[in-house]
Amino acid sequence: MSNPVFELVIYKVKNPQTAARIRAGLQPHVAAYPGFLNWKAIASADDAALFADIVTWDSLDAARAAGQKVMTDPACAPFMAEIGEIFSMGHFAEERRA
C-alpha cells in the first residue's frame, strides 16, 4: 500500500448546528467511497461556523475521485448547500525521512 493521503478542507458554514448534524450523517456514506480510510471532523474553538475536515485516503487518486464524486452525489447535496465559503482545500502526505 502506498502512503495515505490526507485531505484537509477548512470552510465556513451557514448554520453550524445544521451543518454539524448533516456532516455527522454523511460520514458513513462517504466511508463507503473507494479508498476511504478515516474522517476527522473538527470545528474551531473560536468560531462555531468554522469547520475543518481531515479525510484520509489510501491514495491521491482515491482522494481526487472522491472529491469529484462529492460534487455530484445527491446524498452530499444538503451538506454542500450548508457551506458558505471554502478557505483552503489540499492533499498532503507524510514526509518521508531519508
Side-chain angles (χ1 to χ4, degrees):
M1 181 171 110
S2 62
N3 282 350
V5 170
F6 303 93
E7 181 175 77
L8 173 61
V9 185
I10 302 170
Y11 54 99
K12 194 98 162 196
V13 296
K14 297 171 186 172
N15 182 304
Q17 293 79 22
T18 301
R21 178 181 47 78
I22 295 170
R23 179 169 68 168
L26 188 59
Q27 285 179 303
H29 180 76
V30 173
Y33 283 14
F36 176 89
L37 297 176
N38 188 39
W39 182 347
K40 182 110 176 145
I42 56 179
S44 170
D46 298 317
D47 181 350
L50 186 60
F51 284 19
D53 293 320
I54 305 167
V55 185
T56 310
W57 300 98
D58 67 8
S59 69
L60 181 56
D61 287 342
R64 288 180 174 158
Q68 291 297 316
K69 186 172 182 176
V70 163
M71 301 305 290
T72 60
D73 187 340
C76 298
F79 185 65
M80 299 304 287
E82 282 298 316
I83 296 174
E85 183 178 359
I86 296 176
F87 295 108
S88 178
M89 179 177 175
H91 297 106
F92 302 86
E94 289 187 40
E95 288 185 313
R96 293 188 182 203
R97 311 251 177 205

